[in-house]
Amino acid sequence: MKNCIQTIQDYGLRSIGIGERRLPTSDFTLCEQFTLIGSGMMWNIYFGIMALVTGFLLATALAVGKSSKNRYIRKPAQWFIFLFRGSPLFIQFFFAYFLFLSLKKTNPMFDAFTSAWLGALIVLFLNTAAYSGEIFYGALRSIPKGDVEAADAYGLSGWARFRRVIWPTMLRLAWPAYTNEAIFLFQATTLVFFSAFPAWRQEGDALYYASYFADKTFNPFIPYPILAFYFILFTLFIVWMFGRINTRLNRHLPQAQKKKLRLRLNLAR
Amino acid sequence: MFSFCADPDALGTFRWFSCYLTNGVHMSFYLSFVKVLVLLAVTAPVALSFGFAGAMAARSHVFPVSWLGKGYIAIVRGVPDIAFFLFFVIALDQGFEWMRHQILCPDWDAPIRQGNDFLVCSNAKLPLGSAPQWVHQTYSFFLAVITFSIVFGAFAANVLYGGMRAVPHAQLETAEAYGMSRRQTFWRVLVPQMWVYALPGLSNLWLVLIKATPLLFLLGIEDIVYWARELGGTKTSRFTDYPHPDWRMWYFLFLLVFYLGFTRVSEIVLEKLMVRLSHGQATTGGEALRKQVTA
């Protein structure tokens, strides 16, 4: 037990470069595996939350753009969504990395873009914006006509109508699908260090450490279930969190219509 | 490939590229596209049958079987799919070797897991150490296909299970009223009707499967990602007749375009298929078709 506390102190923050420099190389204890894989989860959470928050804003803009009547706004939004939804995220990571690499040669300003914390985040941001944009677009199209007419009758128009009627209704309708997207985005963050982005000084994410242990011990039956444990835990947290927001979004509805967020995970990617 | 390719240094740009893009290594690159297509062609039906079995198990009235089916559907959901890919490739390999070890070498008494090693007797090795290179490659490809099928089978099971539940209950009651047994109801009434409900989910799954094919690279297959990295890297004139700077960006751009095209074509085909299947169905799609005809 004492050893385990020592291990947590050494490796608990290893994935962000704090603590023991050298990774354990032999005689791995269960504690070491739990600690290091858990430490790697920080990267997954960082990528997941940052991409989700920034992507949310762009997604709203894309959804509005895609349903615009002006074709010079609609077409770019449509193409953006098609580009990122129609190609594998894995290839997007590779392409972006090599793109940043060649940009770096022309301008040292792009130095940071070749490291995972920024470069991969940008790809995830654009990717989740495209997926959520499509979800929001679908929700925009299914806003009840009566709601919009009621807003007109109250004399709301333009920005006020969007801000007070259309946007909240869109979110309410899109929320179950958006929860799904958040879960899959979070899972997709494991791809970062398996595409071209290097894990600098072996500071990687949870899957990076799990596969490190699996490669060293040639025994996949311990590290991957640990990884699964962490991910299921965090998935449950996302479901709970989004469920709370869902309740808030639907708080004005009569009690009978209030639907609990029924989670039916559909593979959207 | 072409006769003028003997001395690449003396060629103009266009001819240089026509030689460069048809040299031996590029043929391996093109062949890896075939690998992707073969993987899709094999995985899709196998995963669908895994999914069908899973959905049938989940519907079962025998509890252990239905738990098994529901567990299979549930487990792949909360965990990233690449974790499964990385896990199954080693786990399946060790599983096969362990089984062969039990059968072929019953009098082996040393433990199989010795510290960081997994040791089976040399007869049980898969493929055998003496096997030629292509057997090794086929075996790893075979493992990849099974891994893909297990993971996507769970997704398909989820979709098919939903499709089965979406068939109107009155249909099943009618079948019962006609005196059909449970088995007959399932095969004659439920299964023919569920496809139209499952198709949107399945076509989505197909698109996801296409986009998962680059993950072959993680399973140690020399696939398109492997070759794009390999061929795109900087080549100096010391090692090749076709020196070039770092072109990996362009190779991956090509892959991006390939996948976009593939997705688009699939979408169009699936849309057509949906229209055909909706004929005469009591769904909004079918209703829209009926109106088109009468109008």
Side-chain angles (χ1 to χ4, degrees):
Chain A
M1 198 59 216
K2 196 134 192 286
N3 276 336
C4 193
I5 291 167
Q6 183 62 40
T7 308
I8 292 174
Q9 280 171 353
D10 284 347
Y11 292 117
L13 297 172
R14 174 63 178 77
S15 66
I16 49 173
I18 300 171
E20 182 67 31
R21 178 78 194 273
R22 275 165 55 88
L23 291 182
T25 46
S26 60
D27 301 324
F28 306 102
T29 60
L30 214 55
C31 177
E32 280 172 340
Q33 306 203 11
F34 258 104
T35 310
L36 258 178
I37 295 174
S39 150
M41 281 301 280
M42 280 191 288
W43 276 103
N44 297 101
I45 293 170
Y46 160 77
F47 282 129
I49 290 178
M50 293 297 277
L52 208 61
V53 170
T54 51
F56 179 80
L57 301 173
L58 183 60
T60 312
L62 281 170
V64 174
K66 194 173 172 180
S67 50
S68 162
K69 286 199 178 66
N70 184 343
R71 68 190 299 268
Y72 293 102
I73 301 174
R74 192 177 67 236
K75 283 290 163 193
Q78 274 176 345
W79 271 99
F80 182 89
I81 290 178
F82 173 66
L83 191 70
F84 280 94
R85 289 184 77 227
S87 59
L89 180 61
F90 198 49
I91 304 284
Q92 288 167 20
F93 275 132
F94 272 111
F95 174 69
Y97 178 71
F98 293 124
L99 176 72
F100 292 142
L101 210 58
S102 50
L103 284 177
K104 189 173 146 183
K105 276 180 201 131
T106 58
N107 192 338
M109 191 186 86
F110 288 100
D111 223 18
F113 285 81
T114 50
S115 48
W117 70 268
L118 184 60
L121 182 62
I122 287 176
V123 179
L124 282 168
F125 153 64
L126 297 174
N127 190 276
T128 188
Y131 277 94
S132 336
E134 183 68 23
I135 292 172
F136 290 163
Y137 168 71
L140 269 186
R141 290 210 306 179
S142 46
I143 289 178
K145 213 165 65 179
D147 286 21
V148 184
E149 283 165 1
D152 287 338
Y154 274 107
L156 291 173
S157 67
W159 173 246
R161 187 179 70 171
F162 178 76
R163 159 82 186 74
R164 285 165 173 273
V165 178
I166 294 181
W167 191 65
T169 315
M170 176 193 89
L171 279 186
R172 194 163 62 78
L173 294 175
W175 208 253
Y178 191 58
T179 310
N180 201 31
E181 161 62 21
I183 292 169
F184 280 108
L185 168 74
F186 178 60
Q187 298 190 356
T189 56
T190 51
L191 274 175
V192 171
F193 292 105
F194 281 86
S195 58
F197 287 99
W200 188 58
R201 294 201 311 214
Q202 294 187 310
E203 293 166 13
D205 75 333
L207 188 63
Y208 176 83
Y209 290 122
S211 79
Y212 171 82
F213 286 122
D215 285 347
K216 287 274 189 238
T217 59
F218 209 58
N219 179 1
F221 297 97
I222 296 170
Y224 289 123
I226 294 176
L227 177 86
F229 163 76
Y230 279 119
F231 265 90
I232 290 171
L233 212 64
F234 204 76
T235 305
L236 290 176
F237 174 73
I238 294 178
V239 170
W240 175 78
M241 194 69 208
F242 275 67
R244 288 285 299 270
I245 300 175
N246 188 53
T247 319
R248 187 171 161 76
L249 284 172
N250 287 319
R251 68 191 183 282
H252 61 288
L253 291 182
Q255 204 67 36
Q257 281 185 38
K258 257 184 214 172
K259 272 182 279 173
K260 268 192 75 184
L261 185 67
R262 278 198 53 213
L263 194 74
R264 191 178 294 146
L265 279 178
N266 286 315
L267 194 64
R269 285 181 176 272
Chain B
M1 177 101 176
F2 303 113
S3 53
F4 54 78
C5 291
D7 182 17
D9 292 334
L11 294 173
T13 316
F14 177 75
R15 286 191 146 193
W16 189 89
F17 269 104
S18 68
C19 291
Y20 171 66
L21 292 176
T22 52
N23 65 6
V25 274
H26 272 81
M27 288 305 161
S28 314
F29 180 49
Y30 304 137
L31 196 69
S32 64
F33 282 89
V34 178
K35 269 187 202 165
V36 168
L37 297 180
V38 169
L39 175 84
L40 281 172
V42 178
T43 307
V46 178
L48 196 62
S49 54
F50 276 33
F52 197 81
M56 262 172 77
R59 274 179 59 85
S60 166
H61 282 236
V62 186
F63 281 114
V65 179
S66 91
W67 286 336
L68 202 69
K70 285 187 179 142
Y72 176 50
I73 294 174
I75 192 75
V76 189
R77 323 264 37 184
V79 184
D81 47 359
I82 31 170
F84 273 97
F85 287 137
L86 296 177
F87 170 77
F88 274 122
V89 160
I90 312 180
L92 282 172
D93 184 37
Q94 292 187 352
F96 288 144
E97 287 192 346
W98 182 81
M99 276 192 287
R100 281 169 59 92
H101 179 83
Q102 298 295 330
I103 297 165
L104 295 174
C105 320
D107 42 343
W108 182 278
D109 49 3
I112 291 181
R113 282 203 191 282
Q114 295 180 3
N116 289 345
D117 285 319
F118 182 85
L119 288 175
V120 290
C121 63
S122 57
N123 281 338
K125 279 250 169 14
L126 256 182
L128 292 171
S130 58
Q133 182 66 21
W134 69 267
V135 176
H136 283 266
Q137 284 177 352
T138 316
Y139 177 67
S140 53
F141 189 75
F142 168 74
L143 282 182
V145 167
I146 301 187
T147 308
F148 265 79
S149 302
I150 292 174
V151 174
F152 277 86
F155 294 142
N158 190 38
V159 171
L160 292 177
Y161 184 61
M164 287 177 185
R165 296 214 306 187
V167 173
H169 207 72
Q171 296 278 344
L172 307 183
E173 283 167 3
T174 314
E176 254 170 55
Y178 275 108
M180 288 190 190
S181 66
R182 272 181 60 83
R183 177 181 297 249
Q184 283 172 327
T185 313
F186 181 75
W187 287 109
R188 297 191 189 171
V189 180
L190 187 69
V191 173
Q193 289 193 54
M194 74 172 196
W195 295 110
V196 72
Y197 297 100
L199 191 69
L202 287 180
S203 45
N204 185 21
L205 203 57
W206 167 252
L207 297 178
V208 177
L209 180 60
I210 291 177
K211 285 184 270 171
T213 49
L215 299 179
L216 269 181
F217 172 68
L218 296 179
L219 311 185
I221 311 280
E222 294 185 356
D223 76 329
I224 45 182
V225 176
Y226 171 86
W227 283 111
R229 265 164 60 114
E230 200 74 354
L231 296 173
T234 311
K235 298 279 189 306
T236 52
S237 50
R238 221 148 31 112
F239 299 108
T240 167
D241 294 336
Y242 302 96
H244 62 76
D246 189 350
W247 279 352
R248 283 177 293 189
M249 184 179 122
W250 303 112
Y251 276 90
F252 279 100
L253 185 66
F254 175 67
L255 291 191
L256 217 58
V257 172
F258 166 73
Y259 276 105
L260 281 176
F262 200 178
T263 317
R264 189 82 201 103
V265 171
S266 302
E267 272 176 359
I268 293 169
V269 172
L270 289 168
E271 187 63 32
K272 289 232 167 85
L273 190 67
M274 188 68 201
V275 170
R276 280 193 67 154
L277 276 183
S278 296
H279 257 294
Q281 291 280 353
T283 57
T284 29
E287 197 58 35
L289 282 177
R290 243 187 305 279
K291 276 189 188 137
Q292 267 177 19
V293 175
T294 49

